[in-house]
Amino acid sequence: MDIGIIGGSGYTGGELLRLLAGHPDANVVAVTSRSRKGQKISDTHTHIRKIFDLNFEDLNAEEVASRSDIVFTAVPHGTAMHIVPALLDAGVKVIDLSADYRLRSDVFERVYKIKHADPRQAVYGIPELHPEVADQNFIANPGCYPTGASLAAAPLASAGLIELAVFDSKSGISGAGAEPTRVSHYPNMAENIQAYKLTTHRHRAEIIQELSRLDGSLSKISFTPHVIPSIRGILTTAHIFVKNELSEEEIGRIYHNFYKDKPFIRLIRGIPVLGSVRGSNFCDIGFEIEKDSRRIVIISALDNLVKGASGQAIQNMNLMLGLPETKGLWTPGIAP
Amino acid sequence: MDIGIIGGSGYTGGELLRLLAGHPDANVVAVTSRSRKGQKISDTHTHIRKIFDLNFEDLNAEEVASRSDIVFTAVPHGTAMHIVPALLDAGVKVIDLSADYRLRSDVFERVYKIKHADPRQAVYGIPELHPEVADQNFIANPGCYPTGASLAAAPLASAGLIELAVFDSKSGISGAGAEPTRVSHYPNMAENIQAYKLTTHRHRAEIIQELSRLDGSLSKISFTPHVIPSIRGILTTAHIFVKNELSEEEIGRIYHNFYKDKPFIRLIRGIPVLGSVRGSNFCDIGFEIEKDSRRIVIISALDNLVKGASGQAIQNMNLMLGLPETKGLWTPGIAP
Amino acid sequence: MDIGIIGGSGYTGGELLRLLAGHPDANVVAVTSRSRKGQKISDTHTHIRKIFDLNFEDLNAEEVASRSDIVFTAVPHGTAMHIVPALLDAGVKVIDLSADYRLRSDVFERVYKIKHADPRQAVYGIPELHPEVADQNFIANPGCYPTGASLAAAPLASAGLIELAVFDSKSGISGAGAEPTRVSHYPNMAENIQAYKLTTHRHRAEIIQELSRLDGSLSKISFTPHVIPSIRGILTTAHIFVKNELSEEEIGRIYHNFYKDKPFIRLIRGIPVLGSVRGSNFCDIGFEIEKDSRRIVIISALDNLVKGASGQAIQNMNLMLGLPETKGLWTPGIAP
Amino acid sequence: MDIGIIGGSGYTGGELLRLLAGHPDANVVAVTSRSRKGQKISDTHTHIRKIFDLNFEDLNAEEVASRSDIVFTAVPHGTAMHIVPALLDAGVKVIDLSADYRLRSDVFERVYKIKHADPRQAVYGIPELHPEVADQNFIANPGCYPTGASLAAAPLASAGLIELAVFDSKSGISGAGAEPTRVSHYPNMAENIQAYKLTTHRHRAEIIQELSRLDGSLSKISFTPHVIPSIRGILTTAHIFVKNELSEEEIGRIYHNFYKDKPFIRLIRGIPVLGSVRGSNFCDIGFEIEKDSRRIVIISALDNLVKGASGQAIQNMNLMLGLPETKGLWTPGIAP
């Protein structure tokens, strides 16, 4: 089917192209960028040279819709809400990679300090937690941190077992985008780890939304992000305090049952590492219980640009189009 | 077709599996490892978990041959020569990733200080330089450094223009293998670059073989390798002194003509970087001439585990089997 | 004064030499290593070439004591306890960098599964928490993680305010030593972060000892370590849940008062980074409170080989010898 | 003595402060920055917090001169030439870290495309090659690449032995400065190596100047720089073709004699690495000869911000002031 990408010059745009290059049913017909209009997309995304021979175009939503069956919007927060309505009105399916439709409008406005322009609600596109993705025309693709945190804790939340959850997440720096900043400056990032927004990161609202949906009584959720000297990947260390002591077997069973039909979740004995998921749509999950205690440490590992963004978007696309969930995504990570 | 891999526990074995996972005609039927016999291959190659559900086996050549149409040998130098004859005798096609058949036997013995056990000659598998690959049952898959160096200089060598070639190569550390060493110890490798075997690296013999095949009079070829703090990739800086001054246009034309039907060579304006080829089978090449001088600097960039090893092996496989050269390999690199 | 180092071939030994090179009163007279006996120490510690012209010797405790005023023992856990008694009996001052004397003997035996050979108790050498260091002949130099965690939380613990403390620590890989391992193998460590011993790291016992010394009622202390792709440094993210809400000003005042005369503690507005302390004996501390909540996130940053090991050892030495605490240590980190 | 730094907000300014903190005779009295006037210098250079308690000032040359005995100018190329004359007229000694006075005016104008405003000549401050530094009031501090390349080749050049020299240099990214750029963006720099200005880097003119000063007949000098994923350090691979075959002993003797009284040059058997010199003023040099050939590969390693900039500037200062050359600089590198 024919695919449009609105806002294709950033990392999520480049990653959509990389992954769609391997999708047998995907035909990319339009990639927009206002600032790079007329330039070859391979001048920006040098890895797709010879694979895609397209130029960036400056098209409005209607023009993209007229050529496409499904459209990915990869534009900044606050911009998508002005593009999505026209796309949906034109009858194409939409997957929005921005934050605009991930939260209830009022929560969005509080967290992002932006007035919302569109009352529409979207389904939150973590397919492992939202089977209803399959019937949708419109999906809000989740944030990278919330994907890792929610997948780590969802089985326990769903079982009503969590008393307190402290998510300490470590992300590769590509999550901050393609534009150079002081934080991403190599001498600042290498040989370092930078904690930031210790208690106020906006992704926390998504984590709360998803986990409290599974357990209405769960409210004690903390989240602190860090960037590490890695290009890709998010490792989430979930320090979970549960309501009563659980054995390793009990927890193993809970996770196994919860994820048993989910192709992209890999439950492992041992501790997940970024190196196993780099470039792939897998989320690896492992855990350890603290003896004589009600603390469990759960580790999830995923690639922030794949399962944390563009790969999950394509997983959503597959489901929305009635294709096998894994189509074009059943590829190993790149290791070492 | 059915594929066997002999010696599958190292990085080239893991990379063959990663790439074959995306090859529509490939069916991996046997992966051997003496030391890991019976273990799941995904315990070693954690990135292929859920994708390949195979165990390492301890099989001899005949057993592997009996199940396979084509076999990759990814064993240490000096070992392949004792396995390959039985495979070929059994009628399967063979691609050897070791050094055993890359050089003429006498040169091999001098360079590797190993007595050769098999007089057979193999075609040297850089398909861009050896179109005869397509008719072979047996290919010696080239070294990573020689692939980068030869591809950088071949057009000029073929035109008889080179007087002196100094190859200064920089490799990711995965080229040194999966076993921890003093050199690969993170505190030694990070924030560092390590030159080694300044004048005596064994890959130099392959570079000389390939370039002097193109220009019998060419003899002044130097090669110095380095490892850089990068997992993958080889960047080769070829300092070429030519016999007479050439314009940018002339050189551009020579390269264009030489590589015009070669899908995996990307000639670029500007300077190749590892980030554009990581994980892919492409080799990017760019150059600059020194004004009023007979010096040209040519840069080639490739992924040492793909175009420098397992990807090129699959490219050879495609050609040997009459498949399209790019089948299963037409994937972008992973960037950023 | 004359200084001996027993077990000088590892990273803490090399770091003692680096720092003592800049100490005006230090005269290194003996560096022992059984396995490298007779070799130049600069062949192991290449950074001190031309600065120290000594060879490793294989000396027993008495021989080292006979030449020295003070001795650093930098030997493996379980070994120091067999060396320290002889040194103290010979009348020299001792700073032990192993874990042998950091914990009460019974706790040590439980945590390290090693029978203790020496009933002696040592003062635990975080001088900021143990002013009694100044009067000692024998100091147990703390672990790297416990230094970062204890310094981050001590002021709140001392004020009796902590209900629950979750320490999520991120360390450079040099903490794992100079010997190559699977974890320290560059392709495994780069572009990665590895959580380990999620609930069972032995350093937790030191953290508990130090914080519960300050607040006898404090028992809920969790600790999870990670290694990051960095050579040096430990960043500790302390997720502290306090007994009642505190304002930023109140916490600022508590920390200021607690550390006001401590030269190596730098309280900062903003979030500490490893890049500010690399190579120095400083520990930078910053914090943020979560609004309408009883959670505080405190970040401490230090160099694991300096304030987390050899630098703190020299700080202890200065105090034990009646020298200014900062002598030879008042040097900036190396940035960028 | 009293020291002024004009233009102290960049990496060389921060490094001057770091090194001067350890110099017993240095008293930093003024650090200027127009854009950061009034800010604490430790807000920019966070590693010197608590060590220097100064603010940036916006002072003109006369004001700085009136307080100082010696002034370092660390301003952009083209700016120093408008500041230095006033400083020298005011009678203070000057060490200029810009390129303005490194080359003869006419060469400077051709290479930098900037009209020179000051006819003055400065001595080129590589003290190992310019003993006349000791008598000067004004020194042009060399570029980082030329320091590494010239020190690597000077003994052979001085002996009139070089026919052709190809310098292939690899630098840490701090050489590009403190401002974030596309090249220094972590996702572009990590797991990569970037060749640039393959034949046209401006530092080549300094290398030619220094080597042809030692051997008037030497003209074939090539230079190609690269940035590697390292914060600090320059490794130079000098591919030297000599006029006649030389034995290892002969070359060893030439280097030994040339550098025998030079404290900061460390001639080593084996191959220098950045890890041995990081943070120090040492330049390590090693070499290997190619058998039956007239090619020698010489490797030099130094820290671009120390021996390649601020450390060498202080070495020059020591000599200009009649102090021991090594004063305040006799510190080991930081390893690992």
Side-chain angles (χ1 to χ4, degrees):
Chain A
M1 73 262 127
D2 294 331
I3 293 174
I5 298 171
I6 296 183
S9 67
Y11 282 157
T12 49
E15 191 70 355
L16 281 169
L17 291 167
R18 179 179 80 86
L19 295 166
L20 290 170
H23 195 295
D25 298 351
N27 182 29
V28 177
V29 295
V31 184
T32 79
S33 165
R34 193 152 301 169
S35 63
R36 305 193 186 193
K37 176 186 175 178
Q39 296 177 18
K40 295 171 74 94
I41 56 174
S42 62
D43 286 348
T44 292
H45 302 301
T46 56
H47 55 308
I48 55 102
R49 261 190 222 127
K50 272 203 172 180
I51 303 232
F52 284 103
D53 188 22
L54 290 168
N55 289 0
F56 287 118
E57 300 179 83
D58 181 12
L59 302 172
N60 64 28
E62 287 78 7
E63 291 168 318
V64 176
S66 73
R67 296 194 206 161
S68 312
D69 301 309
I70 189 161
V71 174
F72 296 93
T73 47
V75 294
H77 310 316
T79 302
M81 63 177 76
H82 299 292
I83 294 171
V84 164
L87 292 170
L88 291 171
D89 289 351
V92 297
K93 293 175 192 287
V94 175
I95 296 165
D96 176 30
L97 286 92
S98 86
D100 285 9
Y101 295 91
R102 293 178 194 158
L103 301 165
R104 271 195 356 241
S105 295
D106 58 325
V107 179
F108 175 86
E109 295 188 345
R110 182 163 44 75
V111 171
Y112 284 82
K113 326 271 188 226
I114 297 173
K115 178 103 194 94
H116 211 300
D118 181 21
R120 219 172 307 243
Q121 286 288 106
V123 165
Y124 187 81
I126 300 185
E128 289 79 7
L129 307 183
H130 289 270
E132 71 272 26
V133 160
D135 307 313
Q136 306 301 313
N137 288 324
F138 179 32
I139 291 293
N141 209 59
C144 50
Y145 285 122
T147 299
S150 302
L151 289 172
L156 290 176
S158 179
L161 289 165
I162 301 177
E163 187 168 305
L164 164 65
V166 176
F167 296 101
D168 188 296
S169 295
K170 296 87 175 172
S171 174
I173 184 68
S174 62
E179 289 308 309
T181 63
R182 209 148 285 281
V183 169
S184 76
H185 187 47
Y186 188 89
N188 295 339
M189 191 68 255
E191 297 294 305
N192 203 359
I193 169 169
Q194 302 187 46
Y196 67 109
K197 293 187 183 298
L198 302 181
T199 64
T200 60
H201 194 283
R202 301 185 296 194
H203 279 181
R204 186 181 168 221
E206 292 180 44
I207 302 170
I208 290 173
Q209 168 182 285
E210 288 306 297
L211 295 183
S212 64
R213 205 180 49 80
L214 295 170
D215 176 0
S217 72
L218 173 54
S219 67
K220 292 159 81 175
I221 295 175
S222 296
F223 169 61
T224 301
H226 307 69
V227 283
I228 56 169
S230 178
I231 299 173
R232 286 168 175 252
I234 292 181
L235 191 100
T236 298
T237 309
H239 306 267
I240 307 284
F241 295 84
V242 288
K243 291 177 179 158
N244 31 274
E245 271 188 49
L246 292 161
S247 71
E248 202 177 305
E249 292 66 34
E250 288 169 307
I251 296 173
R253 206 174 317 120
I254 288 168
Y255 274 77
H256 180 76
N257 289 338
F258 194 86
Y259 285 131
K260 67 169 174 289
D261 300 321
K262 309 302 179 192
F264 292 114
I265 306 295
R266 299 192 295 201
L267 301 175
I268 66 168
R269 267 168 228 290
I271 300 175
V273 292
L274 300 183
S276 301
V277 298
R278 193 184 304 134
S280 84
N281 200 50
F282 291 105
C283 176
D284 286 3
I285 300 176
F287 70 91
E288 195 175 300
I289 61 169
E290 187 164 291
K291 252 192 213 155
D292 307 322
S293 135
R294 293 185 289 128
R295 177 172 171 251
I296 304 165
V297 179
I298 302 159
I299 306 282
S300 70
L302 54 76
D303 184 318
N304 59 310
L305 293 180
V306 190
K307 184 61 177 166
S310 304
Q312 184 150 264
I314 293 170
Q315 184 183 356
N316 282 317
M317 177 192 84
N318 283 340
L319 292 165
M320 293 161 78
L321 294 172
L323 300 172
E325 187 171 0
T326 58
K327 197 156 201 178
L329 291 173
W330 199 241
T331 52
I334 180 169
Chain B
M1 73 260 129
D2 294 331
I3 294 174
I5 299 172
I6 296 184
S9 67
Y11 283 156
T12 49
E15 191 70 354
L16 281 169
L17 290 168
R18 179 178 79 85
L19 294 166
L20 291 170
H23 195 296
D25 298 351
N27 182 30
V28 177
V29 295
V31 185
T32 79
S33 165
R34 194 152 301 171
S35 61
R36 306 193 186 192
K37 176 185 176 179
Q39 297 177 18
K40 295 170 74 92
I41 56 173
S42 62
D43 287 348
T44 292
H45 302 300
T46 56
H47 56 307
I48 56 101
R49 262 191 221 123
K50 272 204 173 180
I51 304 233
F52 285 103
D53 188 23
L54 290 168
N55 289 0
F56 286 118
E57 300 180 85
D58 181 10
L59 303 172
N60 64 27
E62 287 78 8
E63 291 169 316
V64 176
S66 72
R67 299 195 207 160
S68 312
D69 300 308
I70 189 161
V71 174
F72 296 94
T73 46
V75 295
H77 310 317
T79 302
M81 63 178 76
H82 299 292
I83 295 171
V84 164
L87 292 170
L88 290 172
D89 289 351
V92 297
K93 291 174 193 287
V94 175
I95 297 166
D96 176 30
L97 285 91
S98 86
D100 285 10
Y101 295 92
R102 292 178 193 157
L103 301 165
R104 272 201 350 245
S105 296
D106 58 325
V107 180
F108 175 85
E109 296 188 345
R110 180 162 45 74
V111 172
Y112 284 83
K113 326 270 188 227
I114 297 173
K115 177 105 192 94
H116 211 301
D118 181 22
R120 219 170 306 241
Q121 287 288 105
V123 165
Y124 188 80
I126 300 184
E128 289 80 4
L129 307 183
H130 289 269
E132 71 271 27
V133 161
D135 307 313
Q136 307 302 314
N137 288 325
F138 177 34
I139 292 292
N141 210 58
C144 50
Y145 286 122
T147 300
S150 302
L151 289 173
L156 290 177
S158 179
L161 289 165
I162 300 179
E163 187 169 306
L164 164 65
V166 175
F167 295 100
D168 188 294
S169 295
K170 296 89 175 174
S171 175
I173 183 69
S174 62
E179 289 309 308
T181 63
R182 207 148 286 281
V183 169
S184 76
H185 187 48
Y186 189 89
N188 296 339
M189 190 68 256
E191 297 295 305
N192 203 358
I193 170 170
Q194 301 187 46
Y196 67 109
K197 293 189 184 296
L198 302 182
T199 63
T200 59
H201 195 283
R202 300 185 295 195
H203 279 181
R204 185 180 169 224
E206 293 181 43
I207 302 170
I208 291 173
Q209 168 182 285
E210 288 305 297
L211 295 183
S212 63
R213 206 181 48 81
L214 295 170
D215 176 0
S217 71
L218 173 54
S219 67
K220 292 160 82 176
I221 295 176
S222 297
F223 169 59
T224 301
H226 306 69
V227 283
I228 55 170
S230 177
I231 300 173
R232 287 167 175 254
I234 292 181
L235 191 100
T236 298
T237 309
H239 305 268
I240 308 285
F241 295 84
V242 288
K243 291 177 179 155
N244 32 275
E245 271 186 51
L246 292 162
S247 71
E248 204 178 305
E249 292 66 37
E250 287 169 309
I251 295 172
R253 206 174 316 121
I254 289 168
Y255 275 76
H256 179 76
N257 289 338
F258 195 86
Y259 285 131
K260 67 169 173 289
D261 301 319
K262 309 302 179 191
F264 292 114
I265 306 295
R266 300 192 295 201
L267 301 176
I268 65 169
R269 265 170 228 289
I271 300 173
V273 292
L274 300 182
S276 302
V277 297
R278 193 185 301 134
S280 83
N281 200 50
F282 291 104
C283 176
D284 286 3
I285 299 176
F287 70 91
E288 196 175 299
I289 60 169
E290 187 164 291
K291 252 191 215 157
D292 305 323
S293 132
R294 292 183 290 130
R295 177 172 171 250
I296 303 166
V297 179
I298 302 159
I299 306 282
S300 71
L302 53 76
D303 185 316
N304 59 308
L305 294 179
V306 191
K307 185 60 179 164
S310 304
Q312 185 149 264
I314 293 171
Q315 183 184 356
N316 282 318
M317 177 191 84
N318 283 339
L319 291 165
M320 292 162 79
L321 295 171
L323 300 172
E325 187 171 0
T326 59
K327 196 157 203 179
L329 292 172
W330 200 240
T331 52
I334 180 168
Chain C
M1 73 260 129
D2 293 331
I3 293 174
I5 298 172
I6 296 184
S9 67
Y11 283 157
T12 49
E15 192 70 354
L16 281 169
L17 290 168
R18 180 179 79 85
L19 294 166
L20 290 170
H23 195 296
D25 299 349
N27 181 29
V28 177
V29 295
V31 185
T32 80
S33 164
R34 192 152 302 171
S35 62
R36 303 192 188 193
K37 176 186 176 178
Q39 296 177 18
K40 294 170 76 91
I41 56 173
S42 61
D43 285 348
T44 293
H45 302 300
T46 56
H47 54 309
I48 54 101
R49 260 189 224 126
K50 272 202 172 181
I51 304 231
F52 283 104
D53 188 23
L54 290 168
N55 288 0
F56 287 117
E57 300 180 83
D58 181 12
L59 302 172
N60 64 28
E62 286 77 8
E63 291 168 316
V64 176
S66 72
R67 299 194 206 161
S68 312
D69 300 308
I70 189 161
V71 175
F72 296 93
T73 47
V75 294
H77 310 316
T79 301
M81 63 178 76
H82 299 292
I83 294 172
V84 163
L87 292 170
L88 290 171
D89 289 351
V92 296
K93 293 175 191 287
V94 175
I95 296 165
D96 176 30
L97 286 90
S98 85
D100 285 9
Y101 294 92
R102 292 177 194 159
L103 301 166
R104 271 198 351 245
S105 294
D106 58 325
V107 180
F108 176 85
E109 295 188 346
R110 180 163 45 74
V111 172
Y112 284 83
K113 326 268 190 232
I114 297 173
K115 179 102 191 95
H116 212 301
D118 181 21
R120 219 171 306 242
Q121 286 289 106
V123 165
Y124 187 81
I126 300 185
E128 289 79 7
L129 307 183
H130 289 269
E132 70 273 27
V133 161
D135 307 314
Q136 307 302 314
N137 287 324
F138 178 32
I139 292 292
N141 210 60
C144 50
Y145 286 123
T147 300
S150 303
L151 290 173
L156 289 176
S158 179
L161 289 165
I162 300 178
E163 187 168 307
L164 164 65
V166 176
F167 296 101
D168 188 296
S169 295
K170 297 88 175 171
S171 175
I173 184 68
S174 61
E179 288 309 307
T181 64
R182 210 148 284 283
V183 169
S184 77
H185 187 48
Y186 189 90
N188 296 339
M189 192 66 257
E191 297 294 305
N192 203 358
I193 169 169
Q194 302 187 47
Y196 66 109
K197 295 189 183 296
L198 303 181
T199 63
T200 59
H201 194 284
R202 301 185 296 194
H203 279 181
R204 186 182 169 222
E206 293 180 43
I207 302 171
I208 289 172
Q209 167 183 286
E210 287 306 297
L211 295 184
S212 63
R213 205 180 48 80
L214 295 170
D215 176 0
S217 71
L218 174 53
S219 67
K220 292 160 82 176
I221 295 175
S222 298
F223 170 60
T224 301
H226 307 69
V227 282
I228 56 170
S230 178
I231 299 174
R232 288 167 175 253
I234 292 182
L235 191 99
T236 298
T237 308
H239 306 267
I240 308 286
F241 295 84
V242 288
K243 291 178 180 156
N244 31 275
E245 270 187 50
L246 292 161
S247 71
E248 204 178 302
E249 290 67 34
E250 288 170 308
I251 296 173
R253 207 174 316 120
I254 289 167
Y255 275 77
H256 179 76
N257 288 338
F258 194 87
Y259 285 131
K260 67 170 174 289
D261 300 320
K262 309 303 178 191
F264 292 114
I265 306 295
R266 299 191 296 200
L267 301 176
I268 66 169
R269 266 169 227 289
I271 301 174
V273 293
L274 301 182
S276 302
V277 298
R278 192 183 305 134
S280 84
N281 200 49
F282 291 105
C283 177
D284 286 3
I285 299 177
F287 71 90
E288 196 176 299
I289 61 169
E290 187 164 291
K291 254 194 212 154
D292 306 321
S293 135
R294 293 185 288 129
R295 177 173 171 250
I296 303 166
V297 180
I298 302 159
I299 306 282
S300 70
L302 54 75
D303 184 317
N304 60 308
L305 294 179
V306 191
K307 184 60 179 163
S310 304
Q312 185 150 262
I314 293 171
Q315 183 183 357
N316 282 317
M317 176 191 84
N318 282 340
L319 292 165
M320 292 163 79
L321 295 172
L323 300 172
E325 187 171 0
T326 58
K327 195 157 202 177
L329 291 173
W330 200 240
T331 52
I334 180 168
Chain D
M1 73 260 128
D2 294 331
I3 293 174
I5 299 173
I6 296 184
S9 67
Y11 283 157
T12 48
E15 192 70 353
L16 281 170
L17 290 167
R18 179 178 80 86
L19 295 166
L20 291 171
H23 195 296
D25 298 350
N27 181 30
V28 178
V29 295
V31 184
T32 79
S33 165
R34 193 153 301 170
S35 62
R36 306 194 185 190
K37 178 186 174 177
Q39 297 177 18
K40 295 171 75 93
I41 56 174
S42 62
D43 286 349
T44 292
H45 302 300
T46 57
H47 55 309
I48 55 102
R49 261 190 222 128
K50 272 203 172 181
I51 304 233
F52 284 103
D53 188 23
L54 290 168
N55 288 1
F56 286 117
E57 300 179 84
D58 181 11
L59 303 173
N60 64 29
E62 286 78 8
E63 290 168 317
V64 175
S66 72
R67 297 196 207 159
S68 312
D69 299 310
I70 189 162
V71 175
F72 296 93
T73 48
V75 295
H77 309 317
T79 301
M81 63 178 75
H82 299 292
I83 295 171
V84 163
L87 292 169
L88 290 172
D89 289 351
V92 296
K93 291 176 192 286
V94 176
I95 296 165
D96 176 30
L97 285 91
S98 85
D100 285 10
Y101 294 92
R102 292 178 194 157
L103 301 166
R104 270 198 354 243
S105 296
D106 58 325
V107 180
F108 176 85
E109 296 189 345
R110 180 164 45 73
V111 172
Y112 284 83
K113 326 268 189 231
I114 297 173
K115 177 103 193 95
H116 212 301
D118 181 22
R120 219 171 306 244
Q121 285 289 106
V123 165
Y124 188 80
I126 300 185
E128 290 80 6
L129 306 183
H130 289 269
E132 71 272 26
V133 161
D135 306 314
Q136 306 301 313
N137 287 325
F138 178 33
I139 291 291
N141 209 59
C144 49
Y145 286 123
T147 300
S150 302
L151 289 172
L156 289 177
S158 179
L161 289 165
I162 301 178
E163 186 168 307
L164 163 66
V166 175
F167 296 101
D168 188 296
S169 294
K170 297 88 175 174
S171 174
I173 184 69
S174 61
E179 289 308 309
T181 63
R182 206 148 288 282
V183 169
S184 76
H185 187 48
Y186 188 89
N188 295 339
M189 191 68 255
E191 298 295 305
N192 203 359
I193 170 170
Q194 301 186 47
Y196 66 110
K197 293 189 184 297
L198 304 181
T199 63
T200 60
H201 195 284
R202 300 185 296 194
H203 279 181
R204 186 182 169 221
E206 293 180 42
I207 302 170
I208 290 173
Q209 168 183 286
E210 288 306 296
L211 295 183
S212 64
R213 207 181 47 82
L214 295 170
D215 175 0
S217 71
L218 173 54
S219 67
K220 291 160 82 177
I221 295 176
S222 296
F223 169 59
T224 301
H226 306 70
V227 283
I228 56 170
S230 178
I231 300 173
R232 286 167 175 252
I234 291 181
L235 192 99
T236 298
T237 309
H239 306 267
I240 307 284
F241 296 84
V242 287
K243 291 178 180 156
N244 32 277
E245 270 186 51
L246 292 161
S247 71
E248 204 178 304
E249 291 66 34
E250 287 168 309
I251 296 173
R253 205 173 319 121
I254 289 167
Y255 275 76
H256 179 76
N257 288 338
F258 195 86
Y259 285 131
K260 66 169 174 292
D261 300 320
K262 309 302 178 191
F264 291 114
I265 305 296
R266 299 191 296 201
L267 301 176
I268 66 170
R269 265 168 228 288
I271 300 174
V273 292
L274 300 183
S276 303
V277 298
R278 193 185 302 135
S280 84
N281 200 49
F282 291 105
C283 176
D284 286 4
I285 299 176
F287 70 91
E288 194 175 300
I289 60 169
E290 187 164 291
K291 252 192 214 157
D292 306 323
S293 134
R294 292 183 290 128
R295 177 174 172 248
I296 304 166
V297 180
I298 302 159
I299 306 283
S300 70
L302 54 75
D303 185 318
N304 59 309
L305 294 179
V306 190
K307 184 60 179 165
S310 302
Q312 184 150 264
I314 293 170
Q315 183 184 357
N316 282 316
M317 178 192 83
N318 283 339
L319 292 165
M320 292 161 79
L321 295 170
L323 300 171
E325 186 171 0
T326 58
K327 196 157 203 178
L329 291 173
W330 199 241
T331 52
I334 180 169

